[in-house]
Amino acid sequence: MSTLQTSKVNSPVDGENKLVFSLELIVQTLNKESRKILVEEFADEIEKLGYTEQYISMMRNEKRTLGNDALKRLLVNSPEALDRAIELLKLQIKQLEEAARILQTSDLSLLKKEYGPKIKEDEEGDEE
């Protein structure tokens, strides 16, 4: 995260800045799977925003991902897409909360064999 982005997060925002901040936060947080769902469900709206059928097809076939600019345009111009994006974010939050709960309440020693401290041999294998 750049210094500019960090200072934005820590500073109070109001008015238009609050709108921009909120939109940026949603766009940055939506994962690849959520973006794919939005493409599937809102392909017609994306095309109406000026994006080509080829671009949309590439996103549907996972050769491209719905970019930040296209996502912002979709969310600002389609209240339904914004509502769906918020639903998807809530689902992501639930998944993250569950993952955090599992890690906090589990015996992590089961993972130490795979993710323990690096040893010299590991570093040599990483270079290949």
Side-chain angles (χ1 to χ4, degrees):
M1 185 178 284
S2 74
T3 306
L4 178 60
Q5 288 173 321
T6 302
S7 64
K8 275 187 183 177
V9 170
N10 294 330
S11 66
V13 290
D14 56 4
E16 186 180 340
N17 289 339
K18 193 173 197 172
L19 286 173
V20 171
F21 175 81
S22 298
L23 180 62
E24 283 288 337
L25 189 59
I26 287 173
V27 167
Q28 290 176 16
T29 306
L30 276 170
N31 65 21
K32 190 175 181 178
E33 183 60 32
S34 293
R35 290 172 186 241
K36 183 172 178 1
I37 292 169
L38 289 171
V39 168
E40 290 294 332
E41 294 179 8
F42 296 97
D44 291 341
E45 285 86 345
I46 295 169
E47 189 174 355
K48 287 177 190 171
L49 293 170
Y51 294 92
T52 65
E53 287 181 33
Q54 181 182 7
Y55 179 67
I56 295 166
S57 176
M58 290 172 72
M59 289 187 291
R60 281 184 161 158
N61 296 325
E62 298 185 30
K63 292 182 177 153
R64 299 273 319 249
T65 301
L66 180 61
N68 290 352
D69 184 65
L71 181 55
K72 287 177 193 175
R73 292 175 193 278
L74 176 63
L75 298 181
V76 168
N77 289 287
S78 172
E80 296 83 10
L82 178 59
D83 288 345
R84 184 64 170 129
I86 291 168
E87 285 177 27
L88 293 167
L89 281 172
K90 288 178 181 178
L91 178 60
Q92 283 180 222
I93 291 167
K94 284 182 183 178
Q95 291 170 335
L96 287 169
E97 287 173 340
E98 177 67 9
R101 187 190 64 72
I102 289 169
L103 287 176
Q104 288 176 325
T105 60
S106 297
D107 177 11
L108 297 182
S109 66
L110 300 171
L111 298 176
K112 286 187 179 176
K113 183 175 181 181
E114 179 78 19
Y115 300 106
K118 283 190 115 179
I119 55 174
K120 192 148 188 84
E121 295 161 5
D122 288 342
E123 290 177 5
E124 291 170 3
D126 288 348
E127 292 173 3
E128 292 176 13

